[in-house]
């Protein structure tokens, strides 16, 4: 049998005493947590360990004795340490002794109550108690078989140290009957600034919770559920982003304590994401209001809109002629071209009607950047959608007309083959048609077939324009999703304190000596940056449908509409 003793490296210079920790019988391992110095009263030690066990729910007990010959010169010390095994009665009783400044320690096992004592090989594993205490183990996502078993063994070690936090709250300056050596024995690690922030966060969270509950109550009021407001709230990405940030603020300001490490990290990631988002928004706002950039932007917006309208007019004039030498149906071509030219004329009139108010609108819109860079980007996306609304109308008109002809041709093609679509059974069935039905169907099929190229050309041109606008809006929303979902706090933690995010451990073999136990050094393997993003990525909403390329091509061929907004069922959890 192999017995593994996990010994904290911070206790290597501790005075002689007894070892307290947890015995894991399933793994035949002993996790040493602290050293109790002489002098002590055994009854008081047992009472103290009972209180620690009641609070931490960890079976902490006295596992053995520790002898540091550099500190103690008495010859009878070894016999006294052996006699302690009869007082505390732990089986097996571990005896670890350090002689002077030697790196090689003696370790022995006493089994007084065993009938057939067996010699066990001892492995002494040194670990950094502070890093193990503050770290959180992330086993591999594809744990299976041996990997899962190894992860559970490591979790038991990490869980033992993490749950024994009460044991580490006493230092050598405490006026208690028991003196301990552990990673915080020289003083409890804390920060005055952090403690002050913790005390100040309670009333701040209460005030923020009240304001958020009031705001969410207003948002859920019946007045906002009627048609115009509910339609705008569901279609504008700015409203969606504000609702998303409102949920984040509710998570941060919640008085409910985080149940586990993942919830705590999620709160920290949301807080850092909000902080950086607002900081970037304030920087953008300060840049916009400096040197009258709002006025220059307003003066540039109207000429750009006029230029886009002129380019569309030239494009329609080109389509009304002989585009690329194609022979179009002249009557339908003239009707569609004049119809779209009239819409462009209306759009130019609308833009010039709003031109006196553009600067004032942009000035107030720039103030929204104080809510965060993501809100400003969503407003920019909505402004692009409003400025290109005529292109969206052209796309809808062309798509509906093209879709009508495609479905009409498919239905008439089934008529030629003696088939029809059964609406009740949702399938194609056989059907017999008379001569008049076949004659009318032939005429309609011929008309639709010869008019299809003209309609398809207009649909193709306006679909490409619409896809260009959707790509620009999609890039903006990708940036918004990146800011919303990126776990910035976890990435900073991985960069500065990588041991806080442990993916596993590795053991390094130290220098050996004959007759001494095998010595290993346990080191923490940090989680990779990709694993950090995958583990702690924040949920976001998707403003664009995540269709596959095959589904998107099918929609484009059949003339189905591609909506730029999010549907209610597309939310990511």
């Amino acid at each position: 049998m192999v017995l593994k003793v996990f010994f904290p490296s911070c206790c290597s210079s501790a005075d002689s005493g007894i070892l307290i920790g947890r015995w894991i019988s399933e793994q035949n391992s002993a996790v040493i947590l602290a050293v109790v110095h002489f002098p002590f009263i055994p009854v008081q030690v047992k009472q103290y360990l009972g209180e620690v066990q009641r609070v931490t729910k960890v079976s902490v007990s006295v596992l053995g004795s520790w002898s540091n010959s550099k500190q103690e010169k008495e010859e009878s010390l070894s016999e006294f340490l052996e006699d302690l095994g009869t007082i505390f009665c732990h089986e097996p009783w571990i005896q670890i002794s350090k002689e002077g400044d030697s790196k090689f320690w003696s370790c022995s096992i006493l089994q007084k109550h065993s009938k057939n004592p067996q010699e066990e090989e001892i492995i002494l594993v040194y670990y950094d108690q502070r890093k193990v205490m503050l770290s959180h183990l992330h086993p591999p996502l594809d744990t299976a078989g041996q990997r899962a078993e190894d992860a559970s063994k490591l979790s038991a070690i990490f869980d033992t140290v993490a749950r024994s936090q009460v044991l580490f709250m006493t230092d050598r300056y405490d006026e208690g009957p028991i003196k301990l050596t552990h990673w915080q024995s020289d003083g409890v690690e804390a920060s005055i600034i952090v403690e002050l922030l913790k005390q100040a966060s309670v009333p701040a969270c209460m005030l923020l919770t009240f304001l958020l509950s009031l705001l969410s109550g207003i948002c859920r009021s019946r007045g906002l559920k009627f048609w115009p407001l509910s339609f705008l709230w569901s279609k504008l990405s700015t409203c969606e982003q504000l609702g998303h940030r409102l949920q984040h603020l509710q998570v941060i300001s919640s008085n409910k304590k985080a149940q586990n490490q993942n919830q705590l990290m999620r709160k920290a990631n949301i807080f850092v994401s909000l902080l950086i988002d607002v900081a970037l928004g304030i920087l953008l706002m300060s840049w916009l209001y400096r040197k009258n950039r709002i006025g220059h932007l307003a003066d540039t917006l109207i000429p750009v809109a006029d230029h886009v309208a002129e380019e569309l007019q030239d494009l329609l004039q080109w389509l009304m002629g002989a585009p690329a030498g194609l022979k179009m149906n002249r009557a339908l071509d003239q009707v569609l071209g004049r119809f779209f030219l009239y819409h462009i004329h209306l759009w130019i009139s609308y833009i010039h009607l709003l031109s006196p108010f553009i600067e004032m609108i942009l000035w107030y819109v720039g103030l929204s950047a104080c809510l965060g860079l993501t809100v400003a980007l969503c407003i920019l996306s909505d402004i692009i959608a409003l400025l290109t609304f005529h292109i969206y109308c052209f796309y809808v008109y062309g798509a509906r007309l093209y879709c009508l002809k495609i479905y009409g041709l498919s239905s008439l093609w089934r008529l030629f083959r003696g088939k029809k679509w059964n609406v009740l059974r949702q399938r194609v069935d056989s059907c017999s048609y008379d001569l008049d039905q076949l004659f009318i169907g032939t005429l309609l099929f011929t008309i639709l077939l010869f008019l299809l190229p003209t309609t398809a050309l207009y649909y193709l041109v306006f679909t490409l324009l619409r896809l260009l606008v959707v790509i620009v809006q999609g890039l903006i929303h990708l940036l918004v999703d990146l800011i919303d979902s990126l776990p910035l706090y976890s990435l900073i933690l991985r960069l500065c304190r990588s041991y806080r995010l442990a993916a596993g451990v590795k053991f390094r073999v130290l220098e050996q000596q004959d007759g001494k136990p095998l010595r290993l050094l346990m080191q923490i393997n940090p989680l990779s940056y990709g694993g950090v993003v995958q583990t702690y990525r924040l949920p976001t909403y998707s403003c664009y449908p995540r269709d596959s390329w095959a589904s998107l091509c099918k929609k484009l061929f059949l003339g189905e509409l591609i909506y730029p907004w999010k549907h209610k069922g597309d939310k990511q959890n």
Side-chain angles (χ1 to χ4, degrees):
M1 294 290 292
V2 178
L3 188 144
K4 298 178 287 293
V5 179
F6 291 86
F7 192 89
S9 56
C10 58
C11 296
S12 58
S13 59
D15 297 341
S16 299
I18 56 175
L19 303 173
I20 61 174
R22 179 191 174 192
W23 172 256
I24 306 176
S25 58
E26 296 83 2
Q27 305 177 21
N28 200 31
S29 303
V31 182
I32 308 300
L33 298 175
V35 176
V36 179
H37 308 149
F38 296 118
F40 57 83
I41 301 176
V43 177
Q44 292 179 344
V45 173
K46 291 182 178 181
Q47 291 177 353
Y48 176 73
L49 294 181
E51 293 177 0
V52 172
Q53 186 172 353
R54 179 177 56 83
V55 174
T56 61
K57 307 300 182 183
V58 178
S59 56
V60 180
S61 60
V62 178
L63 301 180
S65 61
W66 160 255
S67 174
N68 192 342
S69 59
K70 183 179 179 180
Q71 303 294 334
E72 299 289 345
K73 299 293 184 179
E74 298 181 4
E75 297 179 357
S76 61
L77 179 62
S78 58
E79 298 179 359
F80 173 70
L81 293 176
E82 290 183 9
D83 294 337
L84 287 176
T86 59
I87 299 176
F88 293 101
C89 299
H90 184 271
E91 188 76 17
W93 183 258
I94 303 172
Q95 288 184 328
I96 303 176
S97 60
K98 177 184 177 183
E99 300 174 357
D101 295 331
S102 175
K103 298 182 293 185
F104 306 102
W105 302 351
S106 299
C107 187
S108 59
I109 304 297
L110 295 180
Q111 298 178 354
K112 296 183 178 181
H113 302 286
S114 178
K115 296 182 180 180
N116 298 317
Q118 299 178 357
E119 292 187 2
E120 295 187 359
E121 183 181 354
I122 301 173
I123 300 178
L124 198 58
V125 182
Y126 300 98
Y127 71 96
D128 192 327
Q129 199 170 55
R130 179 178 180 273
K131 291 183 178 181
V132 175
M133 174 68 194
L134 298 178
S135 64
H136 177 59
L137 183 63
H138 299 74
L141 297 178
D142 55 347
T143 53
Q146 187 66 29
R147 281 189 173 186
E149 185 179 352
D150 294 340
S152 64
K153 292 180 179 179
L154 291 175
S155 298
I157 307 299
F158 278 72
D159 184 64
T160 300
V161 181
R163 288 167 59 187
S164 305
Q165 187 175 4
V166 178
L167 187 66
F168 307 134
M169 297 307 293
T170 57
D171 52 37
R172 63 181 181 178
Y173 304 105
D174 292 337
E175 297 179 356
I178 299 176
K179 300 296 182 181
L180 299 173
T181 295
H182 46 75
W183 72 283
Q184 290 193 128
S185 57
D186 291 333
V188 177
E189 186 179 272
S191 173
I192 298 177
I193 298 177
V194 173
E195 294 300 325
L196 291 176
L197 288 176
K198 287 181 180 180
Q199 297 297 326
S201 63
V202 176
C205 288
M206 293 178 63
L207 178 61
L208 187 59
T209 303
F210 172 74
L211 294 177
L212 290 176
S213 61
L214 183 62
L215 183 60
S216 60
I218 295 174
C219 294
R220 289 195 299 266
S221 61
R222 292 186 178 181
L224 298 177
K225 293 183 179 180
F226 291 110
W227 175 71
L229 294 178
S230 63
F231 179 80
L232 290 176
W233 184 269
S234 62
K235 303 309 179 187
L236 293 179
S237 57
T238 305
C239 299
E240 292 288 346
Q241 179 63 20
L242 288 174
H244 191 63
R245 283 306 189 193
L246 182 62
Q247 293 178 0
H248 282 176
L249 288 173
Q250 289 175 345
V251 171
I252 294 175
S253 61
S254 175
N255 295 327
K256 186 178 180 181
K257 187 178 179 181
Q259 300 294 327
N260 49 41
Q261 182 74 11
N262 290 333
Q263 292 183 5
L264 183 63
M265 294 290 287
R266 182 172 181 266
K267 279 191 174 184
N269 285 321
I270 291 175
F271 178 75
V272 174
S273 176
L274 277 172
L275 199 63
I276 294 179
D277 187 19
V278 173
L280 292 175
I282 292 175
L283 288 176
L284 175 64
M285 186 175 64
S286 64
W287 180 82
L288 285 175
Y289 288 99
R290 193 179 302 166
K291 298 180 181 180
N292 195 24
R293 288 190 175 92
I294 293 287
H296 296 319
L297 184 62
D299 295 337
T300 308
L301 193 59
I302 301 300
V304 169
D306 290 339
H307 179 71
V308 172
E310 290 176 1
E311 292 293 333
L312 283 176
Q313 286 178 339
D314 295 340
L315 178 63
L316 287 173
Q317 293 293 342
W318 178 71
L319 289 176
M320 291 171 66
L326 297 176
K327 182 66 175 178
M328 312 294 292
N329 185 280
R330 185 166 183 79
L332 180 61
D333 193 13
Q334 293 294 322
V335 169
L336 292 178
R338 291 175 182 175
F339 176 76
F340 292 130
L341 283 174
Y342 179 69
H343 275 70
I344 293 177
H345 175 71
L346 290 178
W347 181 252
I348 294 175
S349 302
Y350 170 70
I351 290 295
H352 285 282
L353 185 65
L354 289 179
S355 59
F357 310 100
I358 291 294
E359 184 174 357
M360 182 180 64
I361 293 173
L362 291 179
W363 195 88
Y364 285 108
V365 166
L367 291 177
S368 64
C370 65
L371 299 176
L373 179 62
T374 55
V375 176
L377 290 175
C378 289
I379 291 177
L380 176 62
S381 176
D382 291 335
I383 290 175
I384 292 175
L386 291 175
L387 291 178
T388 58
F389 184 70
H390 55 306
I391 296 179
Y392 176 71
C393 291
F394 295 164
Y395 164 70
V396 171
Y397 298 151
R400 289 304 185 193
L401 189 59
Y402 176 77
C403 181
L404 178 64
K405 291 191 176 183
I406 288 294
Y407 280 101
L409 287 172
S410 62
S411 179
L412 293 173
W413 178 249
R414 286 194 294 267
L415 183 142
F416 290 155
R417 296 183 297 139
K419 306 286 186 180
K420 73 169 183 178
W421 176 254
N422 192 330
V423 180
L424 296 178
R425 297 181 178 272
Q426 294 293 308
R427 68 183 185 185
V428 177
D429 294 335
S430 300
C431 181
S432 59
Y433 297 97
D434 55 20
L435 187 60
D436 295 338
Q437 291 175 332
L438 292 174
F439 178 71
I440 295 175
T442 303
L443 291 179
L444 292 176
F445 182 82
T446 305
I447 294 172
L448 292 179
L449 183 63
F450 283 104
L451 292 180
L452 182 63
T454 304
T455 308
L457 184 61
Y458 276 88
Y459 169 69
L460 177 63
V461 171
F462 294 134
T463 300
L464 293 177
L465 291 176
R466 180 60 190 161
L467 286 178
L468 180 62
V469 176
V470 168
I471 288 173
V472 173
Q473 289 182 283
L475 292 176
I476 294 174
H477 282 282
L478 279 178
L479 182 57
V480 172
D481 285 348
L482 180 65
I483 298 174
D484 282 343
S485 63
L486 198 63
L488 296 173
Y489 176 76
S490 300
L491 291 174
I492 294 173
L493 202 64
R494 171 62 178 84
L495 183 64
C496 300
R497 294 186 176 182
S498 58
Y499 60 85
R500 294 287 299 272
L501 305 172
V505 298
K506 60 181 178 181
F507 296 93
R508 184 164 63 90
V509 180
L510 301 177
E511 188 179 354
Q512 303 300 318
Q513 187 180 26
D514 295 338
K516 301 295 182 180
L518 177 63
R519 300 188 310 136
L520 301 177
L521 178 62
M522 187 175 76
Q523 298 174 333
I524 295 178
N525 282 329
L527 199 64
S528 64
Y529 287 99
V532 171
V533 174
Q534 185 178 4
T535 305
Y536 293 113
R537 184 177 182 271
L538 297 173
T540 60
Y541 72 93
S542 175
C543 288
Y544 288 86
R546 300 178 182 270
D547 294 328
S548 61
W549 284 105
S551 177
L552 183 61
C553 293
K554 180 182 177 181
K555 286 184 177 181
L556 292 176
F557 178 75
L558 296 178
E560 297 180 8
L561 296 181
I562 303 174
Y563 295 98
W565 49 74
K566 175 189 72 65
H567 298 284
K568 292 182 179 180
D570 295 336
K571 227 175 212 184
Q572 295 180 356
N573 297 321

